[in-house]
RNA sequence: GCCCCCAUCGUUCAGUGGCCUAGGACACCUGCCUUUCACGCAGGCAACACGGGUUCGAAUCCCGUUGGGGGUGCCA
């Protein structure tokens, strides 16, 4: 199964924080490299100096590492400008490209005047424009024929060359565009499989044309890389996830208390599923073992936070409690909740672990233990303490008895439970809810009696009396 | 406008001509368990976009329609 000739690459542009769509591309590349024993290349595509932010490269490293994605080689295109420039010059020398001094406005005006066929009209093809200000280099595309490629996910994709305009390969600043860098690097780095988002499909014919033109005499017959264009990840409006509209930075998910393993596992279910039809939540190595690019779906997939939450909850619960404590501790500092001492958290962590979906929810389960009870909603209060006079009276009797007996019982969970339930048996009613409401201000939460002993007896009595007084 | 892609439950994955009265998971709803919630368990709701072919037979193949998306930059 191992094919050591496989070379894949993840090529992010450092123009923003890594978002889930990019992370997914990286992940699928990584999966394939893992399965095949191939090489994973990280290539930073920072040819656009205006938009690239070098400091984001660190963030990309961190985000990938967080997800457990590793790479074997790393390059920066900004280190390789000379190579791309030389390739472009070679095109010029061989008459495969030409200089153009048309302004963007001129191109646009002529395109509109000529009717529906947008794009550049080839105005400068034979004008022998000299280098100078505002002069770009364009690649001469064929006027007829077709350019097609094999996509592992979509089959054969074919483009009419007549629809391809003579596109710019070198900016007027002298810096080559990504197409050139892309074609050059994929060839130079021996990339065998190009796995990336569907939004890049339309760049394939341009890149392929450039690649063919770059092939030296000794490289004739070098096969094109195999392409696999992943379906887009979309939002609820079925539009491509965007950094603007959607909150999708990988770092944000880490900050919100998603576990990397859960995120990674969830991302893998978007556009792909385990071939054996088994569980979708499972160890990464099992998924790697059956991963293949041509099993990937072609249809866009919705990024469903609810399902991610479910994955996350499962992963959290599966953690040994010590690991949960370690993972949750950074999230305990919640401004809405009082200070949670590490020892206290350790004692109660298992209760929290069972209920929490995201790590950043952890502190809120302990609010009443380290601070005041919540202010119950009128609705909840009524529902628990009684909407009718009859029920209210019963709640009052429950609280009276509990207050009386709790005043001098042993301060341990079993004894407290004995008191509360004992009153229940005596009065033939359920007693936990009124007590819970009095102590926590909520109808639901972690078990009552173990956390209760963390509170001083006087505090408990005080809360019970306060609630009783409100009846 | 032009180019490219996509189309199974609300969501996601399965299904590659008969095993499909279409399966799993999430979500939702009902119960059970539990003197809270959560977990767990048992059920339920719910889909092959439409129209033509091809075939003995189509969710599966072909064509068209409709719908959706992506691209159309001196961004990647």
């Amino acid at each position: 199964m191992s094919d050591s000739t496989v070379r894949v690459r993840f090529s992010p542009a450092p123009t923003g924080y890594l978002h889930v769509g990019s992370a997914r591309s990286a992940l699928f590349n990584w999966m394939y490299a893992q399965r095949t024993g191939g090489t994973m290349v990280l290539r930073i595509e920072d040819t656009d100096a205006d938009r690239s932010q070098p400091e984001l490269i660190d963030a990309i490293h961190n985000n990938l590492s967080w997800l457990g994605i590793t790479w074997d080689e790393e390059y920066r295109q900004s280190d390789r400008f000379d190579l791309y420039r030389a390739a472009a010059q070679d095109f010029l020398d061989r008459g495969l490209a030409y200089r153009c001094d048309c302004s963007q406005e001129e191109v646009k005006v002529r395109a509109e005047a000529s009717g529906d066929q947008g794009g550049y009209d080839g105005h400068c093809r034979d004008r022998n424009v000299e280098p100078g200000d505002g002069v770009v280099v364009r690649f001469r595309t064929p006027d007829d024929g077709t350019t097609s490629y094999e996509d592992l996910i979509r089959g054969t994709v074919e483009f009419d060359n007549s629809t391809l305009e003579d596109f710019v390969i070198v900016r007027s600043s002298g810096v080559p565009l990504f197409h050139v860098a892309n074609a050059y690097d994929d060839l130079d780095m021996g990339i065998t499989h190009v796995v990336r988002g569907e939004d890049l499909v339309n760049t394939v014919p341009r890149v392929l044309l450039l690649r063919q033109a770059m092939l030296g005499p000794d490289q004739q017959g070098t096969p094109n890389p195999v392409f696999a264009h992943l379906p887009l990840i979309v939002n609820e409006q079925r539009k491509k996830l965007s950094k603007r509209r959607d909150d999708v930075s990988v770092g944000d998910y880490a900050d919100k208390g998603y576990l990397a393993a859960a995120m990674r596992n969830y991302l893998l279910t978007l556009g792909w599923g385990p071939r054996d039809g088994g569980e979708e939540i499972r160890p990464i190595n099992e998924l790697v073992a059956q991963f293949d690019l041509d099993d990937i779906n072609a249809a866009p997939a919705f990024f469903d936070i609810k399902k991610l939450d479910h994955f996350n909850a499962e992963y959290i619960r599966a953690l040994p409690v010590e690991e949960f404590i370690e993972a949750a501790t950074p999230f305990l500092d919640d401004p809405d909740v009082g200070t949670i001492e590490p020892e206290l958290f350790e004692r109660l962590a298992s209760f929290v672990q069972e209920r929490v979906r995201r790590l950043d929810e952890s502190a809120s389960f302990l609010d009443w233990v380290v601070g005041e009870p919540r202010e119950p909603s009128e609705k909840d209060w009524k529902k628990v303490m009684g909407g009718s006079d009859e029920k209210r009276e019963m709640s009052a009797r429950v609280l009276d008895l509990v207050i009386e007996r709790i005043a001098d019982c042993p301060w341990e969970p079993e004894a407290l439970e004995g008191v509360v339930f004992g009153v229940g048996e005596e009065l033939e009613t359920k007693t936990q809810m009124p007590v819970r409401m009095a102590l926590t201000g909520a109808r639901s939460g972690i078990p009552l009696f173990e956390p209760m002993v963390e509170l001083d007896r006087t505090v408990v009595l005080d809360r019970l009396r306060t609630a009783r007084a409100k009846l």
Side-chain angles (χ1 to χ4, degrees):
Chain A
M1 218 45 177
S2 175
D3 177 1
S4 60
T5 66
V6 166
R7 288 176 63 83
V8 295
R9 43 75 158 187
F10 172 57
S11 314
T15 56
Y17 288 100
L18 191 73
H19 63 105
V20 294
S22 305
R24 205 268 304 247
S25 291
L27 179 58
F28 278 37
N29 273 290
W30 180 82
M31 291 288 286
Y32 192 61
Q34 290 293 303
R35 221 279 335 274
T36 58
T39 301
M40 170 86 165
V41 173
L42 174 62
R43 192 169 74 209
I44 306 295
E45 305 222 327
D46 54 353
T47 54
D48 185 350
D50 292 341
R51 303 203 318 158
S52 290
Q53 299 171 258
E55 60 277 16
L56 288 177
I57 295 174
D58 276 345
I60 289 171
H61 289 157
N62 293 153
N63 289 152
L64 290 176
S65 299
W66 179 71
L67 281 167
I69 295 172
T70 53
W71 55 97
D72 307 297
E73 299 172 17
E74 178 170 356
Y75 305 91
R76 276 183 210 191
Q77 291 190 326
S78 54
D79 292 337
R80 298 164 59 84
F81 279 145
D82 291 346
L83 264 14
Y84 314 139
R85 239 176 298 208
Q89 183 58 47
D90 183 51
F91 288 165
L92 239 19
D93 295 343
R94 290 156 62 204
L96 300 174
Y98 58 90
R99 293 194 187 84
C100 166
D101 60 359
C102 298
S103 71
Q104 294 182 67
E105 292 72 50
E106 286 166 353
V107 170
K108 201 174 154 195
V109 167
R110 285 204 302 270
E112 277 167 9
S114 71
D116 51 15
Q117 197 74 319
Y120 182 68
D121 58 2
H123 181 256
C124 296
R125 277 181 182 175
D126 304 308
R127 289 182 56 229
N128 293 311
V129 174
E130 291 299 314
D133 267 4
V135 173
V136 300
V137 178
R138 289 182 182 274
F139 187 75
R140 176 72 160 88
T141 58
D143 296 327
D144 45 37
T146 59
T147 300
S148 66
Y149 79 94
E150 285 307 312
D151 196 307
L152 246 24
I153 299 172
R154 280 148 228 285
T156 306
V157 182
E158 198 173 65
F159 295 84
D160 235 316
N161 289 338
S162 63
T163 65
L164 263 30
E165 61 178 317
D166 291 351
F167 56 94
V168 175
I169 57 175
V170 181
R171 297 172 172 90
S172 54
S173 65
V175 177
L177 269 109
F178 82 99
H179 297 108
V180 187
N182 214 276
Y184 187 93
D185 283 344
D186 283 347
L187 181 60
D188 188 48
M189 296 172 187
I191 300 303
T192 57
H193 298 257
V194 175
V195 182
R196 25 116 91 148
E198 189 194 347
D199 50 344
L200 271 340
V201 172
N202 289 291
T203 71
V204 175
R206 297 203 283 271
V207 169
L208 249 25
L209 252 13
L210 291 172
R211 180 188 176 96
Q212 285 309 313
M214 281 171 187
L215 257 25
D218 53 330
Q219 295 179 115
Q220 294 304 320
T222 304
N224 288 335
V226 175
F227 290 87
H229 285 95
L230 304 172
L232 258 18
I233 300 182
V234 299
N235 62 19
E236 45 287 304
Q237 278 90 240
R238 296 253 127 209
K239 301 223 190 287
K240 179 169 81 156
L241 241 38
S242 94
K243 292 170 195 168
R244 281 285 152 69
R245 290 190 289 255
D246 310 293
D247 178 21
V248 289
S249 154
V250 169
D252 288 346
Y253 285 92
D255 292 344
K256 278 191 238 167
Y258 288 94
L259 259 24
M263 174 62 93
R264 185 174 59 189
N265 197 155
Y266 174 65
L267 250 19
L268 246 15
T269 67
L270 260 23
W272 183 78
R275 188 165 224 176
D276 63 11
E279 294 292 317
E280 40 187 16
I281 297 183
R282 46 210 284 206
I284 190 71
N285 58 313
E286 283 182 28
L287 296 172
V288 164
Q290 52 185 321
F291 184 80
D292 213 340
L293 293 173
D294 46 37
D295 289 335
I296 296 169
N297 246 318
F302 170 60
F303 188 76
D304 188 352
I305 299 278
K306 282 191 172 176
K307 189 150 181 176
L308 205 213
D309 281 348
H310 173 256
F311 273 49
N312 204 49
E314 293 262 326
Y315 270 91
I316 287 174
R317 267 184 258 116
L319 250 27
V321 68
E322 317 79 60
E323 281 181 36
F324 168 69
I325 291 167
E326 197 185 331
T329 297
F331 293 90
L332 260 23
D333 190 14
D334 186 327
D336 296 332
V337 179
T339 306
I340 299 170
E341 298 299 335
E343 299 73 26
L344 172 82
F345 186 64
E346 277 175 37
R347 287 194 293 274
L348 301 177
S350 64
F351 301 125
V352 175
Q353 182 179 11
E354 274 181 80
R355 273 150 262 260
V356 91
R357 293 154 71 82
R358 286 191 269 124
L359 260 17
D360 68 352
E361 298 168 344
S362 302
S364 69
F365 281 91
L366 266 20
D367 58 353
W368 62 275
V369 185
V370 297
E372 294 302 307
R374 290 177 210 181
E375 189 55 47
S377 72
E378 200 173 324
K379 197 176 149 203
D380 282 353
W381 177 268
K382 261 188 158 167
K383 188 150 192 169
V384 173
M385 296 308 210
S388 63
D389 289 346
E390 213 174 318
K391 209 172 161 203
R392 211 166 15 248
E393 214 167 288
M394 178 57 95
S395 298
R397 289 175 65 195
V398 168
L399 291 183
D400 282 338
L401 275 178
V402 171
I403 288 165
E404 184 187 322
R405 294 180 192 176
I406 229 170
D408 59 359
C409 77
W411 204 241
E412 51 195 41
E414 299 73 25
L416 293 169
E417 180 174 336
V419 166
V420 173
F421 287 1
V423 169
E425 273 167 40
E426 219 169 292
L427 265 32
E428 292 184 319
T429 184
K430 291 184 179 175
T431 52
Q432 183 181 164
M433 285 308 277
V435 175
R436 174 177 290 279
M437 183 55 87
L439 295 180
T440 75
R443 289 173 55 203
S444 63
I446 55 174
L448 208 47
F449 304 108
E450 288 84 351
M452 211 165 145
V453 302
E454 305 289 345
L455 259 20
D456 281 345
R457 192 190 301 264
T458 53
V459 170
V460 169
L461 283 169
D462 193 46
R463 289 185 191 181
L464 290 169
R465 289 192 184 113
T466 302
R468 170 64 184 89
K470 278 174 71 181
L471 285 168

